Amino acid sequence: MSSTVTSGQREFAVRFWGTRGSIPSPKTPQVLRERLKETLEAFRHEAVSGSLSTDKALQSEKAVETFLEQLPHWQSQGYGGDTSCVQIEGADEPMIIDAGSGIRRLGEELMRGPCGKGQGVVHLFFTHFHWDHIIGLPFFTPVFIRGNQIHIYAVQDDVESCVRQVFRKPFFPVGYEELGAKFQYHKLAPRKPIGLQGFTWTPYQLDHPDPCWGFRVERETAKGKKAYAHCVDSEATRVSPVDLGEDIGLYRDADLCYFDAQYTAPEILTHLNWGHSAAPIGIEMALREGIQQILFAHHDPAASDQKIFEAEKQTADFLESYRTAARNGGRTLPGLQWSFARDGDRVVLGLF
Ligand SMILES: [Zn+2]
Ligand SMILES: [Zn+2]
């Protein structure tokens, strides 16, 4: 989804700084070398017998870009290895969901603005406190700058003690009391909306071994109210409107849903009660609840880029057979945009 911004307009956008689950998963040098070799082999093949085989095409400055564009994205880019961190863009002050390892790079970007001068105000919402959602906080540079204010929001009672634990010797050399920024804590009530900088945030419960709260983030745009549904981490054991009860409000008619797909459908069977879901469950949910676009994330740290790409293909097959079954039953399913999220993805929901 993309839009053209005219002067004075802002974008309600969602940016994904970390889409991996459980633990940061950098590629090893061996994997990178293998990837480079496969790519160069493919280029050599194209140069000899494929679309780049004429001299003119190879002399073009665009030859390399053209070639990269035609590679499957697991090979040309991969999915990334940073853990959960999502930024809601559009407000004056940055709003963030979770402090996984992806928040380190976000911190570097924020340091180029008011946070670098000790004049920054940051709003950080926590779904829960598993390591992969808080591990980046000690590497989020704005917390060390005197004058910055960090507002922390969560449904859980013990949010302040969870944050303090992270900045404690012998686990980290800088103590909580030594941090330059001032922290303020805001306890959220389940399913009760709060207004923040023109956006509305509502926490809804997810299905996870420790209490975990997703967020529905909404705001008015030039084309009506738009909604982002953050649904990670969740096993999505409750999927029917009856089972979900009030928590159906997280999903219903969302313009963009961020859904836990750590496992493939067969893997779910051997990971019951691990707290993570699979893409086909999200597809069914999206088609039933009027979701416009769904992004699958919290990729398994053990999964290679190629394996995640295979899961994408399985999801496409599932959707195709699901549509065929519906057609055969005389039903037409709504359209649905979907993909597996990559670190750095950014989706614009509307202008305001
Ligand atoms: Zn997680
Ligand atoms: Zn978790």
Side-chain angles (χ1 to χ4, degrees), residues 179-227:
L179 297 174
K182 286 276 169 283
F183 285 70
Q184 279 184 49
Y185 295 89
H186 307 267
K187 184 164 163 46
L188 301 174
R191 305 170 196 90
K192 294 281 179 291
I194 63 158
L196 183 63
Q197 304 187 88
F199 291 73
T200 305
W201 289 70
T202 313
Y204 290 95
Q205 188 148 30
L206 297 171
D207 302 320
H208 207 50
D210 290 307
C212 183
W213 294 82
F215 297 103
R216 186 175 173 105
V217 186
E218 298 169 295
R219 82 150 292 136
E220 284 296 336
T221 72
K223 293 193 174 165
K225 188 182 270 188
K226 297 289 177 186

Side-chain angles (χ1 to χ4, degrees), residues 41-58:
E41 279 294 343
F43 189 78
R44 191 176 64 84
H45 178 264
E46 278 298 303
V48 172
S49 55
S51 61
L52 298 177
S53 59
T54 62
D55 282 349
K56 204 172 163 199
L58 268 180

Side-chain angles (χ1 to χ4, degrees), residues 20 74 83 107 117 124 148 172 186 226 274 287 335 351:
R20 188 68 66 156
W74 73 264
T83 65
K117 302 186 192 110
L124 175 55
N148 285 340
F172 194 71
H186 307 267
K226 297 289 177 186
W274 285 46
L287 291 171
L351 304 176

Side-chain angles (χ1 to χ4, degrees), residues 132-133 233 298:
D132 52 324
H133 297 255
D233 297 0
H298 208 273

